[in-house]
Amino acid sequence: MDLLQNTIRPYAWGSPTAIPHLLGTEPTGEPQAEMWMGAHPGAPSRTPRGSLADVIAADPERELGAAAVARFGPRLPFLLKILAAGAPLSLQVHPDLDQARQGYDDEERRGVPLDAPHRNYKDANHKPELICALTEFDGLCGFRAPVQAADLLDGLGVDSLKPYVDLLHAHPEDAALREVLTAVLSADREDMARTVTEATTACTRLGGDYGPYADLAHHYPGDPGVIAAMLLNHVRLQPGEALYLGAGIPHAYLNGLGVEIMANSDNVLRCGLTPKHVDVPELLRIVRFEPSDPGVLRPEASPDGEEVYETPIDEFRLSRYVLPPGGATHDLTRPTPQILLCTAGTVRLGDPGEQELTPGRSVFVPAGEHAEVSGTGTLFRATVIA
């Protein structure tokens, strides 16, 4: 088992204190948004044997197992993160596998540089993801029923929003949602900025259900994404609860600390709440315009104490062990690669003293490697289904 040294990403929306508090280190005063665990080429974890990407590339079947290599190729198919949102992330959506391949191939044919700011597809893979809350965690996920979104917008008393309210009462619902999102993102920027300013004043005055959108507007004044966000479900996760975000589901993380796992991809189509490129026609091709419940996930416990967050994809499988004082030792040996992450307490791996994990520390366990855990605390387990 390899103890991992992981890169912390200083994105502007990151909390300056949440990750340092978890790790027991002093804040630097700068935002610390994500800690990456895995072999993503952008910031692979480091091990005593070299970068995890190089370790896997040197002997994929040894590190990943023959079944995982046959299923997903010679690379770790997931990326595990600790995510600390101190401010809202961009409103975004991810493509499915076919859409990603088509989009990537199209931009390659057209010679769009991979680092171009208007490039949509960095790779040909999809990016389903799961976020599990470590603290209270606020987010937006999936479309509200159009009539509910209409009531929310109408309650602001902003005249320039009335046409959107009327459209949201139209049928069928998917067409109504498509038409309103298209109109919001395609509107004249100056006109929309005035509408957002009026809406922000109303949200601040009304509070309650409007509070999250007042906060969005504080961070992104005049951004049409503030109005687009009001079409979505607001959800507050309690620690241990999770959200699964499949292809085509618009979403944004607003505030909180969580463990995130995703397929190893960088493909993001943005809807707003960002100074970055928004490709409206491509976005409309990807978004699933269907009302949905956010679908809060709670882990399903197995007899051996493993609590699994069930998802419909195989590139990753996230579970956790909550280890009580004086509890049993658990055998986590598995024929697929694993990353084990401690988020609370002290977790021991292997023979006494072999490895000891405290909050924020993680290890990579090659396929088939014997792995026993004990101690008192919380341990997240990331692997694949192959």
Side-chain angles (χ1 to χ4, degrees):
M1 289 181 283
D2 293 309
L3 189 64
L4 299 179
Q5 294 181 316
N6 304 304
T7 297
I8 296 177
R9 297 289 212 175
Y11 305 137
W13 49 262
S15 164
T17 58
I19 288 178
H21 179 73
L22 180 72
L23 298 176
T25 59
E26 285 296 317
T28 64
E30 299 298 317
Q32 297 189 29
E34 295 179 347
M35 186 172 79
W36 287 22
M37 292 157 280
H40 191 285
S45 298
R46 298 173 300 284
T47 81
R49 298 186 285 158
S51 85
L52 187 56
D54 291 342
V55 168
I56 290 172
D59 194 347
E61 289 205 1
R62 165 70 186 89
E63 304 298 330
L64 306 178
V69 172
R71 183 82 189 276
F72 304 111
R75 65 189 186 100
L76 190 67
F78 65 83
L79 176 63
L80 185 67
K81 300 179 180 179
I82 293 175
L83 182 145
L89 282 68
S90 62
L91 190 61
Q92 60 189 254
V93 70
H94 306 303
D96 64 26
L97 194 53
D98 286 341
Q99 291 165 339
R101 288 169 176 165
Q102 292 167 11
Y104 180 80
D105 289 345
D106 175 64
E107 290 185 322
E108 287 290 281
R109 276 195 303 271
R110 292 190 285 117
V112 181
L114 272 175
D115 59 353
H118 62 286
R119 174 100 186 202
N120 292 316
Y121 297 94
K122 310 293 186 180
D123 52 70
N125 199 17
H126 62 165
K127 193 187 177 187
E129 59 191 39
L130 177 81
I131 183 77
C132 177
L134 295 177
T135 64
E136 277 197 346
F137 194 98
D138 281 275
L140 304 171
C141 179
F143 286 109
R144 301 174 183 267
V147 67
Q148 293 174 352
D151 289 345
L152 195 68
L153 291 176
D154 197 33
L156 294 172
V158 175
D159 288 343
S160 53
L161 291 176
K162 298 295 185 184
Y164 303 142
V165 172
D166 293 339
L167 285 171
L168 287 166
H169 284 291
H171 291 282
E173 289 187 331
D174 59 343
L177 289 168
R178 175 183 287 273
E179 193 162 351
V180 171
L181 185 63
T182 303
V184 168
L185 298 182
S186 304
D188 178 84
R189 296 289 294 192
E190 291 187 4
D191 290 344
M192 180 52 67
R194 285 192 290 270
T195 295
V196 173
T197 299
E198 286 188 61
T200 300
T201 301
C203 285
T204 303
R205 182 184 74 252
L206 293 166
D209 290 344
Y210 293 97
Y213 307 101
D215 187 60
L216 284 178
H218 169 73
H219 288 284
Y220 299 100
D223 193 303
V226 174
I227 305 302
M230 297 182 76
L231 303 176
L232 307 185
N233 298 296
H234 173 248
V235 60
R236 173 167 292 169
L237 300 177
Q238 297 303 312
E241 295 181 334
L243 286 175
Y244 171 72
L245 300 158
I249 304 299
H251 62 277
Y253 301 148
L254 305 182
N255 185 271
L257 180 71
V259 174
E260 185 182 35
I261 190 168
M262 62 189 62
N264 208 350
S265 171
D266 244 354
N267 288 326
V268 175
L269 279 299
R270 294 176 178 84
C271 315
L273 309 179
T274 179
K276 295 181 179 179
H277 176 61
V278 177
D279 185 335
V280 175
E282 185 64 13
L283 173 71
L284 298 175
R285 187 177 79 89
I286 300 303
V287 171
R288 293 184 180 177
F289 289 96
E290 51 192 38
S292 62
D293 183 272
V296 174
L297 293 177
R298 296 171 181 85
E300 298 184 13
S302 62
D304 68 352
E306 185 180 26
E307 299 178 346
V308 182
Y309 294 91
E310 298 287 353
T311 63
I313 53 92
D314 295 340
E315 281 93 337
F316 61 75
R317 176 185 184 273
L318 186 71
S319 62
R320 69 174 185 173
Y321 288 83
V322 180
L323 306 172
T329 296
H330 298 272
D331 185 354
L332 272 58
T333 307
R334 190 177 173 92
T336 51
Q338 304 180 75
I339 292 178
L340 306 179
L341 165 68
C342 176
T343 58
T346 300
V347 178
R348 295 183 297 276
L349 287 84
D351 296 328
E354 183 178 338
Q355 295 279 14
E356 190 171 270
L357 299 184
T358 52
R361 300 188 81 194
S362 56
V363 296
F364 174 73
V365 184
E369 190 83 9
H370 184 64
E372 286 190 346
V373 300
S374 60
T376 303
T378 302
L379 184 76
F380 280 86
R381 179 194 209 186
T383 187
V384 303
I385 298 173

